[in-house]
Every structure is written in C-alpha cells, then in structure tokens.
Amino acid sequence: MLRNHIVRFLGVLAAFTPLLVARFPQVDWVTLIPLSIALLGGAEAAQRMEDKKTAEALMEPSPDLAAEVAQARLAAAEAEHASKVGTLEE
C-alpha cells in the first residue's frame, strides 16, 4: 500500500514537520531542516516518477479506441461479405 501512495505519504510527513516544531518547542528546529529537505526531495523524486508514468500512459493508444477500430473493420468486412453474397444470389 505504501508503494502505491508514496507521494502522499511523504507529503504528509513533510507537512507534519512544522507541526512538530509548534507542538514541541523544546525540539531544536534546526535539526529538522535536513529531515524536511529529505522528505521533500523524496516526494519530488516520486512525483517525477509518477509524472513520467502518466506521460507514457498518455502516449499509448486507448483500449477503447482499439476496440472501436476493430469493430469498424469487422463492420466493413461484414458489409463487403454481404455485398458479395447478395451479388451471387442474383
């Protein structure tokens, strides 16, 4: 499950980092800066990977379009067959 939602998970962790500073003021916030940078960097890398997968998926033909093309070819073949059968009976 985490693998499917890694961008959301990293975003939530990055959002909670400032809340930790507000909730626990005794924590040195300077030590949390590298954590925030790492979380945001990981989220950015994961988002770029997701964007790349989306772009690749958009370049593929739609399965619905392929089915429509196959249906049109089948209809044309049936019409051609029907015209040949009609001329043979006459």
Side-chain angles (χ1 to χ4, degrees), residues 6-80:
I6 190 71
V7 175
R8 291 179 184 166
F9 181 72
L10 290 175
V12 168
L13 285 178
F16 275 119
T17 304
L19 292 175
L20 289 174
V21 174
R23 181 77 173 135
F24 303 104
Q26 68 273 16
V27 175
D28 184 21
W29 64 272
V30 176
T31 59
L32 293 176
I33 291 175
L35 173 66
S36 297
I37 292 171
L39 287 172
L40 292 174
E44 176 66 23
Q47 185 63 49
R48 288 182 186 213
M49 182 179 62
E50 291 297 321
D51 289 345
K52 180 181 174 187
K53 288 183 349 187
T54 301
E56 289 173 357
L58 288 173
M59 292 297 155
E60 293 180 6
S62 169
D64 294 335
L65 179 62
E68 288 178 21
V69 170
Q71 183 65 34
R73 287 181 182 160
L74 181 60
E78 287 176 348
E80 182 181 342

